[in-house]
């Protein structure tokens, strides 16, 4: 199927030993190789049909509606600003984690393309290989900290409520226009 889209996978064998005196373990790394006229990559809107793009927008809109409904049903924002049951220290730590992740996202999507000229996201793994794993760890820890901060208020519903809010916020990005 990937060959039909104009891509093939090429096996690359690493050279040298990791530790002297120990037999080298052979493994294959894979790299995407463009075939044909190129210019397109996986997951771009140019390769999706119109119905697929509309379906994606509808799914994003449903998540946003679910987040709005959940926020209204739970008084989410009133609880954040003035709720007495919330663990405020952990809430502030969770907001700090969100700020760190936003900084990572701005670094990858604004600073690297506009200032450094790295417009292709495939260069991230070479230029800044630890940013994506750092974002992943920060996101997981932030979510767990936020769940713990809201636990006295909503109990076992805290992960569900926060998960819906996170998905709704993430799906808002479907409706942000792309700037050249």
């Amino acid at each position: 199927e990937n060959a039909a889209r104009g891509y093939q996978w090429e096996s690359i064998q690493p050279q040298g030993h990791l530790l002297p005196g120990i037999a080298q373990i052979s493994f294959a790394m894979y790299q995407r190789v463009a075939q044909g006229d190129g210019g397109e990559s996986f997951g771009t809107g140019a390769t999706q049909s119109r119905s697929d793009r509309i379906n994606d927008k509808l799914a994003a809109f449903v998540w946003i509606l679910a987040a709005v409904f959940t926020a209204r049903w739970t008084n989410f924002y009133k609880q954040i600003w003035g709720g007495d049951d919330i663990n405020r220290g952990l809430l502030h730590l969770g907001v700090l984690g969100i700020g760190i992740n936003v900084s990572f996202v701005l670094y990858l999507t604004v600073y690297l393309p506009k200032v450094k000229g790295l417009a292709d996201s495939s260069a991230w793994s070479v230029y800044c290989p630890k940013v994506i794993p750092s974002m992943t760890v920060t996101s997981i820890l932030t979510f767990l900290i936020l769940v713990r901060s809201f636990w006295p208020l909503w109990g076992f519903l805290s992960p569900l409520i926060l998960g819906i809010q996170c998905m709704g916020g993430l799906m808002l990005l479907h409706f942000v226009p792309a700037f050249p």
Side-chain angles (χ1 to χ4, degrees):
E1 178 183 348
N2 288 336
R5 290 187 175 185
Y7 289 87
Q8 72 181 15
W9 294 98
E10 176 182 287
S11 176
I12 301 170
Q13 295 296 327
Q15 302 296 321
H17 297 287
L18 296 176
L19 297 172
I22 298 177
Q24 178 182 3
I25 298 171
S26 177
F27 60 94
M29 297 184 317
Y30 293 96
Q31 172 181 352
R32 191 169 28 177
V33 179
Q35 299 291 315
D37 49 354
E40 61 185 358
S41 63
F42 290 119
T44 60
T47 60
Q48 289 182 331
S49 69
R50 181 176 172 88
S51 63
D52 288 340
R53 288 192 307 268
I54 289 172
N55 191 24
D56 288 347
K57 297 290 183 190
L58 284 174
F61 187 69
V62 168
W63 274 110
I64 293 167
L65 283 179
V68 168
F69 174 75
T70 304
R72 300 244 339 168
W73 177 62
T74 59
N75 291 325
F76 186 78
Y77 297 106
K78 286 183 182 180
Q79 294 296 333
I80 288 176
W81 296 119
D84 295 331
D85 296 335
I86 296 174
N87 185 334
R88 291 280 168 202
L90 289 176
L91 178 65
H92 293 149
L93 194 60
V95 170
L96 177 67
I98 291 171
I100 290 170
N101 264 348
V102 168
S103 299
F104 282 143
V105 168
L106 290 175
Y107 174 75
L108 291 175
T109 60
V110 176
Y111 178 77
L112 288 181
K114 302 295 182 196
V115 176
K116 292 291 186 178
L118 296 173
D120 189 16
S121 64
S122 64
W124 295 350
S125 62
V126 175
Y127 188 77
C128 49
K130 294 184 181 181
V131 172
I132 299 296
S134 299
M135 284 178 65
T136 304
V137 169
T138 305
S139 297
I140 292 169
L141 289 176
T142 299
F143 184 78
L144 293 174
I145 289 169
L146 287 173
V147 166
R148 179 60 185 100
S149 71
F150 284 106
W151 193 268
L153 182 63
W154 294 313
F156 286 106
L157 291 177
S158 297
L160 178 66
I161 292 168
L162 289 174
I164 291 171
Q165 294 302 311
C166 288
M167 286 300 292
L170 190 65
M171 293 300 154
L172 277 173
L173 296 176
H174 272 271
F175 301 102
V176 175
F179 295 106

